[in-house]
Amino acid sequence: MFKAADLFDLTQTEHFAIFEGCEYAWDALGKIASFIAANLRPALHNRCEGVAYVGERVFIGANTVIEDGAMIKGPAIIGRNCQIRHNAYIREQVIIGDNCVVGNSCEVKNSLLFNNAVAPHFNYIGDSILGFKAHLGAGVKISNFKLVPGNIMIELDGKPLDTGLRKFGAIMGDGAEAGCNAVLNPGSILGRGAVIYPNVFWRGILPANMIAKNKSQIEVVVKRPRES
C-alpha cells in the first residue's frame, strides 16, 4: 500500500508527474521543491477578502479566495476554487489542488494536497501528502520530525525500511480522515478511506477502510452539590 497508485487517484491532481519514478509515495516529498521550480509560472487569479500577503513566487488559480490575514510565502502552486482562510500560513514548497480548504490558523509546508483535500481549523501539515477528499478535523497536527536522531523509518513486511527522509509527516490516502485533536506521528500512513478517531495519538500504518479509536472508558457519576 506504499505506492502512489495504491493510495491515490492520480487523476485528482494536475501535478501527478511528481510521482514519476517514485518507488514509494513518500519519495515525492523530496521532489516538491524541484517540481515547483520547474513548473511554477507566477500569476494571481484569485480574489482577496481583506489584506493578505502573497509572495512573488506564487501561482493561484481562478475563483480561489484568500481571506484577510493569510500569508502565502511561496514558492507555491494553488489551484482553482480554493479557500485560504483567515490567518492561514502557507510556507515554502506547497502544492494545493482544486477545491481545497486551508483554514483558520493552519500552517502548511513542503506538502502536496490533492483536489478537495480539507484542513479547516488549527492544523499543522508538514512534509505530507493529503489525498483526494482527505480531511483533517479541528486541531489535528501532523508531526514531521522525530526527537531522536536519524531518518524516519517505516515498517515493511515486519522489517524497518529507511525512507531516507529526516522530515516526513504523514501520507493520507484518498478519503482518509483524522478526527479533532488527533496527532499523526512522523511516518504515519493512512490507506484510502481510513479513519483516525478524535484525540488518537497515532503512529504507523492504518490500512484502507480501517478505523483507529481509543478504548478508554468515560465514567459518569451523580452530580452532587459542593460543600459551602
Side-chain angles (χ1 to χ4, degrees):
M1 62 174 285
F2 298 149
K3 297 184 181 298
D6 297 332
L7 293 156
F8 312 120
D9 177 354
L10 295 178
T11 67
Q12 290 296 334
T13 176
E14 293 184 5
H15 313 287
F16 58 86
I18 197 170
F19 293 102
E20 292 179 359
C22 293
E23 182 176 5
Y24 303 110
W26 59 78
D27 293 334
L29 294 172
K31 299 170 62 177
I32 291 177
S34 60
F35 183 88
I36 292 177
N39 292 278
L40 176 63
R41 304 292 182 268
L44 304 180
H45 303 289
N46 61 287
R47 173 169 59 89
C48 277
E49 295 183 350
V51 179
Y53 173 86
V54 181
E56 295 181 356
R57 295 180 296 166
V58 176
F59 174 89
I60 305 177
N63 299 314
T64 286
V65 176
I66 312 296
E67 292 186 2
D68 189 65
M71 182 173 188
I72 305 172
K73 291 181 66 176
I77 299 173
I78 300 173
R80 300 174 291 271
N81 304 307
C82 295
Q83 298 178 41
I84 310 300
R85 294 177 178 164
H86 179 62
N87 286 343
Y89 181 27
I90 297 176
R91 292 171 52 193
E92 304 86 354
Q93 321 302 347
V94 173
I95 300 173
I96 296 174
D98 298 336
N99 307 300
C100 292
V101 175
V102 178
N104 177 37
S105 300
C106 292
E107 179 178 343
V108 188
K109 59 88 64 173
N110 196 61
S111 293
L112 166 63
L113 278 61
F114 277 66
N115 298 341
N116 296 83
V118 176
H121 322 280
F122 304 100
N123 305 120
Y124 176 71
I125 304 168
D127 302 278
S128 298
I129 302 174
L130 274 59
F132 175 59
K133 291 187 175 181
H135 178 265
L136 302 180
V140 172
K141 305 298 188 294
I142 300 178
S143 175
N144 63 334
F145 187 73
K146 63 182 185 178
L147 297 178
V148 297
N151 292 338
I152 308 299
M153 310 295 286
I154 298 292
E155 185 174 301
L156 177 63
D157 298 327
K159 297 179 181 179
L161 173 66
D162 188 345
T163 66
L165 299 171
R166 184 71 177 103
K167 291 188 175 182
F168 171 15
I171 305 287
M172 296 180 65
D174 292 347
E177 299 198 45
C180 295
N181 292 320
V183 175
L184 305 182
N185 280 279
S188 293
I189 299 177
L190 279 59
R192 296 186 190 218
V195 176
I196 301 288
Y197 267 30
N199 296 311
V200 169
F201 184 79
W202 178 258
R203 182 185 304 277
I205 301 160
L206 185 63
N209 300 312
M210 300 297 285
I211 296 174
K213 53 186 176 180
N214 289 323
K215 292 183 178 181
S216 58
Q217 295 183 343
I218 296 175
E219 182 182 5
V220 179
V221 299
V222 176
K223 181 179 180 181
R224 296 183 174 87
R226 294 180 179 179
E227 296 180 0
S228 58

